[in-house]
Amino acid sequence: MQNTTPVTTLHFTDYEITGNIKYLYFMSTLLVFLLIVFVNIVLITVITTQRSLHDPMYIFICNLAFNGLYGSSSFYPVCMVNILSKMPSISRTGCLIQVFCIHTYGSFEYSILALMAYDRYLSICHPLRYNSIMTPSKVTKLLVFVYMYPICILSVHIYLTIRLPLCGFIIDKLYCNNWSVVRLSCIDVSVNSAFGLFVTTILMVPPFLVIFYSYIRILTVCLKASKEARSKALETCTPHLLTFMNYSVATFFEVVHYRFDLSNMPHVLRIIMSIDFLLLPPLLNPIIYGVKMQEIKKRTIRMFVGRKPNSFEAPRENKQKITCLSHMK
C-alpha cells in the first residue's frame, strides 16, 4: 500500500472482537495479567526478603521473575486497551517501544537461562570451588553482561527500523514485532533482513551452546556418581530444565507463526501461538520454582500461612547440594 503522508498510527487486524464478547476477553486477559504479576511478585518478595535465599541460584531466579514482569507489562496493558477499542491501534512511537521491550524480554530470558545453566554446571561439576567462583562480584558482572549485551545489539536493530519510511499501516498480530514494522517500509529492507538474521544468531546461539555444554558436563558427572548424588542433581536441575523447555516450546510456536503462512489455521489458535511466549514463561516459571524448590516453597508457605519451617526439615538446599555432590568427584 502506497501512502504519501507519514504513517504515525498503526492498526492491528487480529482484534476481531465484536459485541459483548469483548468484555469477556478483556476480563480473561486482565485475570491472566494479574495472575502473572501476583506469582512473580510473590517469588521476588520471598527471595529478596529472605537472607538465606541470597545465593546466586536464587538471585538468577529472581531476575527471571523480574523479566517476566517486564515482558508482560510491555504487552498486556496495550492488549487490554485494544480489546475494548473500536479501532485497535498504536502510535508508531509506541509500536517501536513495544518492539524493543518484547525483543529484549525474549533475549533476557534466554540469557538468564544460560546463566542459570552455567551456575548448575559449577555447583554440580565443581562443588568445592563453587563459592570461590560464584562470588557476589562475579554474579553482578554476569548479570550486567546478560542485560547489556542484548540491549546494545537490539538498540542498533531498532535504529535500523526507525530510519525506515512506512507506506503501510496494517499489522497482522496482536502486538508489534520488528518484522511486522519492517515489512511496511516503502524502500528496500535487505539490510534490516540481514541484520535481523545476524541478531537472531548472536542472541540465541551462544546461550544455547552454554546450556547444551553445561548439561552435557552435568550428565557426564551424574553417570559416574552414586544413585543418591544423581537424585540430588536431578532435583536441583529439574526446575531449570522445565523452565528452559517451557520457554523453548513457546518460542518455537512464535517462530513458526512468524516464518510460515498460517492463514488456514483457526484464528483463535493462531493468536494463542503468537502470544505463547508472553503467556506461558511469565506465568509458569514462578509456579515451577515455587513447587519444585523446597526452600522457596517453605518460605512462600511461611509468608502466607505464618508457619515456621520445622527444625528437623532439610537444611538449605545449596549446602545439601554441595555435601552430596562432592562424592561425584
Side-chain angles (χ1 to χ4, degrees):
M1 181 181 297
Q2 296 296 319
N3 195 340
T4 56
T5 60
V7 174
T8 58
T9 302
L10 303 174
H11 296 273
F12 298 107
T13 61
D14 270 0
Y15 291 92
E16 298 177 1
I17 308 172
T18 58
N20 292 331
I21 191 67
K22 66 182 179 181
Y23 298 107
L24 176 61
Y25 280 105
F26 175 82
M27 292 305 300
S28 300
T29 305
L30 177 61
L31 179 62
V32 169
F33 180 56
L34 292 178
L35 186 58
I36 288 173
V37 171
F38 174 74
V39 295
N40 281 281
I41 286 181
V42 167
L43 183 61
I44 292 168
T45 302
V46 169
I47 293 174
T48 55
T49 58
Q50 300 295 324
R51 291 186 61 85
S52 62
L53 300 182
H54 291 182
D55 293 330
M57 173 175 59
Y58 299 109
I59 292 173
F60 299 147
I61 293 172
C62 187
N63 277 267
L64 202 64
F66 269 118
N67 191 50
L69 288 176
Y70 168 64
S72 300
S73 299
S74 65
F75 167 70
Y76 285 97
V78 176
C79 177
M80 288 186 287
V81 169
N82 280 315
I83 287 175
L84 298 179
S85 176
K86 294 182 179 178
M87 185 68 70
S89 61
I90 189 172
S91 68
R92 180 176 178 177
T93 300
C95 183
L96 291 170
I97 292 174
Q98 188 178 59
V99 168
F100 180 78
C101 291
I102 289 179
H103 282 241
T104 49
Y105 152 75
S107 301
F108 293 158
E109 189 86 0
Y110 216 37
S111 298
I112 295 171
L113 288 174
L115 198 56
M116 293 171 71
Y118 173 67
D119 177 73
R120 298 299 84 215
Y121 156 70
L122 289 178
S123 66
I124 293 174
C125 299
H126 303 284
L128 301 180
R129 298 174 52 203
Y130 177 79
N131 290 328
S132 62
I133 296 175
M134 294 299 286
T135 62
S137 175
K138 179 74 171 291
V139 170
T140 300
K141 291 177 181 178
L142 288 172
L143 285 172
V144 169
F145 175 76
V146 300
Y147 283 119
M148 294 307 300
Y149 175 63
I151 286 176
C152 293
I153 295 171
L154 287 170
S155 294
V156 177
H157 196 34
I158 297 301
Y159 170 75
L160 293 176
T161 302
I162 291 174
R163 69 183 180 85
L164 296 175
L166 303 183
C167 294
F169 58 88
I170 300 298
I171 294 180
D172 297 321
K173 294 181 75 70
L174 292 180
Y175 59 90
C176 295
N177 69 356
N178 192 66
W179 182 247
S180 296
V181 179
V182 169
R183 67 190 299 186
L184 301 176
S185 177
C186 312
I187 63 175
D188 178 66
V189 295
S190 57
V191 173
N192 296 74
S193 180
F195 191 76
L197 181 61
F198 169 74
V199 168
T200 302
T201 302
I202 62 174
L203 289 181
M204 296 192 68
V205 173
F208 175 80
L209 292 177
V210 170
I211 295 171
F212 181 76
Y213 174 80
S214 297
Y215 276 100
I216 288 295
R217 292 296 304 274
I218 289 172
L219 179 62
T220 302
V221 171
C222 288
L223 290 176
K224 300 177 182 178
S226 65
K227 183 177 180 180
E228 181 183 358
R230 286 199 300 269
S231 176
K232 293 297 182 181
L234 180 63
E235 180 181 342
T236 195
C237 290
T238 296
H240 180 265
L241 284 172
L242 290 174
T243 302
F244 176 66
M245 288 187 292
N246 174 29
Y247 182 67
S248 297
V249 170
T251 305
F252 172 76
F253 283 152
E254 171 59 8
V255 170
V256 170
H257 177 265
Y258 175 64
R259 291 291 181 183
F260 300 99
D261 182 16
L262 302 178
S263 57
N264 295 326
M265 181 177 293
H267 181 67
V268 174
L269 180 59
R270 183 164 59 87
I271 288 176
I272 292 175
M273 286 180 62
S274 71
I275 65 171
D276 201 32
F277 79 110
L278 291 163
L279 171 64
L280 290 182
L283 182 60
L284 295 183
N285 289 353
I287 297 174
I288 290 171
Y289 283 104
V291 171
K292 289 292 184 180
M293 303 201 72
Q294 291 301 315
E295 281 297 311
I296 294 178
K297 184 178 180 179
K298 288 189 297 183
R299 302 295 177 177
T300 303
I301 293 174
R302 181 180 178 183
M303 186 174 70
F304 285 101
V305 181
R307 183 175 62 190
K308 294 184 178 181
N310 295 328
S311 59
F312 57 81
E313 289 180 352
R316 286 176 57 187
E317 186 174 333
N318 66 313
K319 292 181 179 179
Q320 192 178 52
K321 168 187 59 184
I322 292 175
T323 301
C324 69
L325 295 178
S326 62
H327 298 293
M328 294 182 179
K329 302 305 287 180

